[in-house]
Amino acid sequence: MQDQAPMEDLARRAAAGDSAALDRLLTEIRPEVVRRCARFLPCREDAEEAAQDVLLQVARHLTAFEGRSRFGTWLYTVVANCCRQKYRELKRRAAEQPAAIEPSHAVDPRTTSVIAGSRVDLLEALDRLEREHPHLVAPLVYRDICQLDYAEVAERVGIPLGTLKSRLHEARKQVRPWLSAT
């Protein structure tokens, strides 16, 4: 999503009911959505499933995009929510049906991505943060994972910039020991 102006215009037209604009918008945002989902979910297939969920949510709920913030900001919210939901679904599924790992399919720790492990740790930490301090999750996700600037995050969360920075500091302080313990 290099040039924001045409994307914003496309999103507004699609939100107003232009089906051709919606088709074009979904086609154009798909690669970026997959990349953003891969930031959350370590397994490519899971990231692609989450990306499909994102595109479906965008198609269904684009009329909720009122243009008060940038379309990209609204989209990052949908990405973050869908990825976290996919993670919870995968975690629940794994708990319900633990799969036996055959020796031929065991993961070799020497070739396992450190980043993939840290993403799972981060998702676990976000899950815990949501249970213990739900008001701290959105600032952390938008700023540290979606990499939105402070002003955009404050606008998206609907709080003053100073409050955002305070919540972000507290969120990082809460999450840090959970991540270093793993």
Side-chain angles (χ1 to χ4, degrees), residues 1 33 36-37 40 50 53-54 57-58 64-65 69-85 137-139 141-143 145-148 152-153 155-158:
M1 296 191 302
V33 166
R36 294 224 174 253
C37 288
F40 282 90
D53 293 344
V54 169
Q57 292 298 318
V58 168
F65 172 64
S69 63
R70 288 188 6 224
F71 172 72
T73 304
W74 182 83
L75 180 62
Y76 297 154
T77 304
V78 177
V79 168
N81 291 340
C82 285
C83 287
R84 291 175 55 223
Q85 183 60 39
V137 175
V141 168
Y142 293 144
R143 177 68 188 136
I145 298 173
C146 296
Q147 298 176 337
L148 298 178
E152 280 184 284
V153 176
E155 177 186 330
R156 188 72 197 149
V157 177

Side-chain angles (χ1 to χ4, degrees), residues 88-144:
R88 286 188 202 107
E89 176 188 315
L90 293 168
K91 189 174 163 183
R92 190 172 41 254
R93 198 179 316 153
E96 291 170 358
Q97 303 171 351
I101 299 175
E102 300 195 19
S104 63
H105 292 93
V107 175
D108 181 353
R110 294 168 298 173
T111 61
T112 302
S113 168
V114 173
I115 293 173
S118 67
R119 284 189 221 159
V120 171
D121 296 342
L122 178 60
L123 287 166
E124 284 289 336
L126 287 173
D127 223 25
R128 184 173 173 184
L129 186 65
E130 188 163 37
R131 286 191 307 272
E132 296 179 16
H133 307 283
H135 66 287
L136 300 178
V137 175
L140 187 67
V141 168
Y142 293 144
R143 177 68 188 136
D144 290 357

